[in-house]
Amino acid sequence: MSIIKIDMNSPEFQAEMQKTVEFTDKVINQFGWVYNPEAEVNEGVQMGLARNKMMYGKRFCPCFMVETVDGKPKSVDDRICPCKPAIEKEIPEEGACHCGIYCTPEYAAKKAAEMGIEEAVHTHSRGLTKNEAQILVNEKELDSDELTSLLEARELGMVSFKLVDVREHMEWQMGHIKGADKLVPTSSFFAALEDAKLKKDENVIVYCHVGSRSAHCARILRDMGYAKIGNLSYGIVSYGGKIER
C-alpha cells in the first residue's frame, strides 16, 4: 500500500473534520459519555477518524491498523468507531476507550483533577551517565522526561537508537519530536517500514499521538523479530521537549 497524504488544510478535510466532530458529539450524547478533559486527545482522535473516512469510506479507529482484505479496507479487530470492545468492555471497566476520547463522567472528573494538581515528577540535576543511558534505552516504556534525557545522551554520543513516528504524514507536518529519525505511518505501516530500513538488532523507540498506535506497532515489531523496541507511553501530547514543525 502506498503512503496516502491528506492535506489537513484542504476544504475537503476541513469539511470531513466538521462532520466527524458532529459524529463524536452524537456518540457522546447517545451513550451518556463525556469527552476526555485533554482537548488535544479528542482533536487527535477526531482527525484520525476524519482521515480514515476520507481514505477508506469508514471511520475506522485511528489506533488500529487498516488492512486490505479481498480488495477492501478492513480494520484490525473490526474497530469501527464507536467500536464494540469500547462499548462493552473498555469504558465500563476502565472508564475510557483505548483512544481516550470517550470517557465516563467519573473517569473524566478524576482525570481533570489529576491534571489540575499534577506536577513534574522528574527533576534532573544532571544528565545521564553512559551506563544509565544504556540501561534506559532498553526499557519497553518511556515517559517524556526519559525520552528527553535519551535524546540529550544521543547528542553526546553516549547511546544509539532510532526515534520513529508512527502517526500520519499530516500529523508529522503539524509537529514532530525534534530528533525523530523516521516517519512510518500506521496506515501504510509495512510498506513504510521497508523504506525505513530499520535494523532488527538496533534500539528503536516509537511514538504516536497518545501512545495507543505506537504500543500496537511496538507489539507488531517485536513479533517481527525487532528485539529492542521502546514506546513513548503517552505519545507526543505528553512530550515536554522540543517540537519541530
Side-chain angles (χ1 to χ4, degrees):
M1 181 186 295
S2 60
I3 298 175
I4 301 174
K5 297 180 181 179
I6 293 176
D7 181 4
M8 60 170 289
N9 295 313
S10 67
E12 294 81 7
F13 180 80
Q14 292 301 319
E16 188 56 55
M17 183 67 174
Q18 179 60 38
K19 291 178 183 178
T20 297
V21 171
E22 293 171 359
F23 166 79
T24 57
D25 284 347
K26 184 178 179 179
V27 171
I28 288 284
N29 293 329
Q30 178 183 351
F31 290 95
W33 299 331
V34 296
Y35 281 116
N36 195 307
E38 292 188 74
E40 286 189 345
V41 171
N42 304 322
E43 183 183 18
V45 175
Q46 288 164 336
M47 287 179 63
L49 290 170
R51 178 193 69 239
N52 283 347
K53 180 68 172 178
M54 290 184 69
M55 290 172 63
Y56 307 116
K58 294 182 180 180
R59 291 190 177 95
F60 292 123
C61 170
C63 298
F64 287 79
M65 290 185 186
V66 178
E67 300 173 339
T68 300
V69 179
D70 296 328
K72 297 181 180 179
K74 181 179 175 61
S75 173
V76 173
D77 296 334
D78 290 323
R79 297 274 187 161
I80 299 177
C81 185
C83 65
K84 188 175 180 180
I87 296 171
E88 297 183 352
K89 183 175 178 64
E90 294 166 356
I91 296 177
E93 295 183 7
E94 301 172 20
C97 67
H98 50 275
C99 287
I101 185 173
Y102 303 133
C103 310
T104 62
E106 296 78 12
Y107 177 94
K110 181 181 178 182
K111 183 74 173 177
E114 291 173 351
M115 289 168 60
I117 62 173
E118 188 176 43
E119 296 179 347
V121 295
H122 297 319
T123 302
H124 300 292
S125 59
R126 58 171 176 78
L128 296 173
T129 65
K130 185 172 183 178
N131 185 57
E132 289 170 339
Q134 293 293 339
I135 293 172
L136 185 58
V137 78
N138 286 294
E139 292 292 328
K140 290 186 177 180
E141 293 292 332
L142 298 161
D143 64 23
S144 170
D145 288 337
E146 290 168 338
L147 178 56
T148 300
S149 296
L150 282 173
L151 285 168
E152 292 172 352
R154 188 174 71 170
E155 288 184 6
L156 296 172
M158 294 192 296
V159 68
S160 176
F161 63 91
K162 293 286 177 58
L163 180 59
V164 177
D165 190 325
V166 299
R167 300 174 303 151
E168 299 304 311
H169 184 265
M170 65 179 184
E171 294 175 278
W172 171 276
Q173 288 183 312
M174 286 179 64
H176 54 272
I177 294 175
K178 184 177 181 180
D181 300 291
K182 301 287 184 179
L183 174 65
V184 181
T186 305
S187 65
S188 52
F189 185 76
F190 295 105
L193 180 63
E194 185 175 348
D195 291 340
K197 300 187 185 306
L198 301 174
K199 297 177 181 178
K200 290 190 174 181
D201 61 348
E202 68 179 326
N203 285 98
V204 176
I205 299 172
V206 293
Y207 76 90
C208 64
H209 191 68
V210 296
S212 299
R213 275 175 285 175
S214 56
H216 185 59
C217 292
R219 289 192 293 270
I220 290 174
L221 287 168
R222 293 185 189 111
D223 289 343
M224 292 175 66
Y226 290 83
K228 302 174 182 177
I229 304 297
N231 177 48
L232 180 60
S233 297
Y234 301 105
I236 194 172
V237 297
S238 72
Y239 187 66
K242 294 181 179 179
I243 301 295
E244 287 188 331
R245 292 177 172 84

